[in-house]
Amino acid sequence: MTVKQIDKQYIAPTYARFDLQLVGGKGSRVWDETGKEYIDLGTGIAVNAFGVADEQWQNAVTAQLGKIQHTSNLYYSEPCALLAQTLCQRTGLKKVFFSNSGAEANECAIKSARKYGELKKGKDYYTIITLKNSFHGRTITTLSATGQEVFHQHFTPMTEGFVYATANDIEDMRALVKTHKCCGIFIELVQGEGGVTALDRVYVKEVESLARENDLLLMIDEVQTGNGRTGSLYSFQNYNITPDVVTTAKGLGGGLPIGATMLGERAQALFSAGLNGSTFGGNPVCSAGALSVLSRIDDTLLNEVKEKSKYIFDSLTGAKGVISVSGLGLMIGIESEKDASEVIGACMARGVLVIKAKNKVRLLPALNIPWQDLKTAINILKEELAR
Ligand code: PLP
């Protein structure tokens, strides 16, 4: 049997996979089992921050593998402690809870808001406002936080306590704050799965003020936007706001599973021993990989992310077949005249991997993608958009 046949027979069919098997790669190049090479503008959905088989990252991970691969959270562990220190020092947040995925990081954020509401206002102040068209994960509670009806189908009853505001409409959010007993506001600053759209800057500042005036935790989901993706280490740093909780995952581990929930001044004391936990959370190998990733996201790299972003926007805005280009940094959505799936398929046939978000072609290249690879890939994409 081929890998595809085995997969079809034995794996629960929750994914609509491309007809492509990846077996290896180097940097922004990946290859299939026939040896055909592709320039990868998807990075495993914003995970392989420095591409595939990056030596610095590999060295950090394998060095830790040679020492101890897992400790459990019953004991202290250096990579995990240093990672928390780095995250706090670089964001201004105060404490970190580690888990294994974006959804789990978000679960912890939701718990923190509920505890905050209970503490500050009483047990019935548990409602969290999220945005329509958001995406926060696949557990029942993070699906419930996700403001897209389609994700709720078949799984009801959903976790109660979520209401959805229209993005960029502060009056709508104000009305929800008035009519519900709320404990927090939880938003992505660039909606990723929702179609790669960045929130308005003025709106985000107004949301921050609303959260402060009503003593609500302001929580930012940086699972996709985090770790250099938008041209700053975390996207909230582009918006000049001070969140109470920031969640991240994906690119943080550079390819290994790790989630982090960062807790600010107002949220740092919410958890005590036993109130949350995770067997693998803060695993030393994943933490060593994450430390290596963060150590390379400096101003030089972030400026490069911004330059490459500008290059993509300039190349594609107004180009033939392009309706609009949206996003921030190296998280870009292209609304095309042609069906996005058709463009994606045509690019794949020509050796360029791009992915989809709603009706858009989505680009999430490695933060350090070589200029020449980027230019070659964007030219091919441009030709396919125009065809
Ligand atoms: N939050 C956002 C903004 C995401 O984009 C995703 C995944 O795409 C998640 C949460 C869920 O992350 P995970 O798949 O690691 O659970």
Side-chain angles (χ1 to χ4, degrees):
M1 280 168 91
T2 63
V3 168
K4 188 173 165 184
Q5 286 166 335
I6 298 169
D7 181 306
K8 288 235 175 291
Q9 183 159 339
Y10 294 106
I11 294 185
T14 64
Y15 303 104
R17 298 199 205 279
F18 291 112
D19 189 14
L20 174 64
Q21 182 193 346
L22 294 179
V23 298
K26 191 75 197 159
S28 282
R29 304 284 179 106
V30 293
W31 42 84
D32 66 16
E33 79 283 13
T34 69
K36 180 175 171 183
E37 204 168 276
Y38 302 81
I39 299 174
D40 180 20
L41 301 187
T43 55
I45 324 183
V47 167
N48 300 328
F50 291 96
V52 174
D54 175 83
E55 268 170 38
Q56 217 172 307
W57 178 84
Q58 271 184 338
N59 289 341
V61 166
T62 50
Q64 183 56 42
L65 265 174
K67 293 181 191 163
I68 186 166
Q69 80 276 23
H70 176 75
T71 57
S72 88
N73 280 305
L74 297 174
Y75 308 105
Y76 292 100
S77 155
E78 183 178 72
C80 172
L82 293 182
L83 180 59
Q85 181 186 42
T86 304
L87 285 168
C88 290
Q89 286 176 345
R90 294 191 63 181
T91 60
L93 287 113
K94 304 294 182 197
K95 290 212 175 344
V96 186
F97 175 80
F98 288 114
S99 52
N100 313 285
S101 66
E104 280 176 284
N106 288 346
E107 288 272 352
C108 177
I110 292 162
K111 282 183 176 177
S112 68
R114 287 199 166 183
K115 176 92 194 297
Y116 189 78
E118 181 189 76
L119 204 70
K120 291 304 223 41
K121 296 176 183 169
K123 262 196 170 306
D124 47 348
Y125 281 78
Y126 58 75
T127 298
I128 295 172
I129 302 172
T130 64
L131 294 181
K132 289 176 186 163
N133 206 34
S134 56
F135 185 79
H136 296 293
R138 296 280 187 170
T139 62
I140 287 286
T141 296
T142 55
L143 274 183
S144 190
T146 294
Q148 298 189 56
E149 198 63 44
V150 62
F151 285 106
H152 300 173
Q153 280 170 23
H154 313 297
F155 303 126
T156 52
M158 306 304 292
T159 306
E160 64 172 311
F162 293 94
V163 291
Y164 315 105
T166 302
N168 295 323
D169 180 349
I170 194 66
E171 291 313 321
D172 191 37
M173 193 173 279
R174 264 199 197 113
L176 290 175
V177 170
K178 264 207 188 106
T179 48
H180 292 82
K181 291 180 173 172
C182 295
C183 58
I185 297 171
F186 192 22
I187 56 176
E188 297 158 271
L189 296 175
V190 184
Q191 293 191 325
E193 302 305 307
V196 205
T197 43
L199 295 185
D200 286 349
R201 277 157 205 275
V202 174
Y203 171 73
V204 171
K205 286 299 284 179
E206 286 170 337
V207 170
E208 183 187 39
S209 304
L210 190 62
R212 293 288 163 268
E213 286 156 18
N214 292 277
D215 199 8
L216 309 174
L217 283 192
L218 176 60
M219 305 184 287
I220 310 296
D221 180 340
E222 299 250 16
V223 170
Q224 194 162 152
T225 53
N227 314 297
R229 179 62 44 200
T230 65
S232 56
L233 183 59
Y234 291 99
S235 72
F236 80 82
Q237 293 161 323
N238 294 310
Y239 281 84
N240 190 28
I241 56 169
T242 307
D244 299 306
V245 178
V246 175
T247 62
T248 194
K250 285 190 181 281
L252 179 62
L256 286 174
I258 186 166
T261 309
M262 297 176 248
L263 306 165
E265 195 84 50
R266 267 176 285 269
Q268 63 174 322
L270 291 169
F271 292 106
S272 52
L275 277 199
N276 211 1
S278 162
T279 296
F280 290 114
N283 168 274
V285 179
C286 301
S287 295
L291 269 170
S292 159
V293 166
L294 289 180
S295 74
R296 293 163 73 183
I297 306 178
D298 56 12
D299 286 345
T300 309
L301 182 87
L302 292 171
N303 283 333
E304 220 179 277
V305 167
K306 286 180 199 144
E307 278 168 32
K308 287 170 181 165
S309 174
K310 185 174 180 319
Y311 168 76
I312 299 172
F313 270 89
D314 288 351
S315 303
L316 298 178
T317 306
K320 189 157 178 250
V322 174
I323 298 168
S324 69
V325 186
S326 63
L328 200 60
L330 288 177
M331 182 171 173
I332 293 176
I334 302 140
E335 194 185 355
S336 52
E337 283 171 7
K338 265 167 69 175
D339 180 65
S341 296
E342 221 183 290
V343 176
I344 293 165
C347 284
M348 191 189 293
R350 295 185 60 191
V352 173
L353 299 185
V354 292
I355 60 175
K356 206 173 169 187
K358 286 278 171 76
N359 63 335
K360 294 185 183 175
V361 176
R362 178 169 36 159
L363 312 183
L364 297 161
L367 304 180
N368 66 341
I369 183 171
W371 272 105
Q372 198 46 59
D373 281 1
L374 182 63
K375 286 180 180 172
T376 304
I378 294 299
N379 281 338
I380 290 172
L381 171 61
K382 206 170 161 179
E383 284 172 13
E384 292 309 327
L385 286 160
R387 203 181 287 277

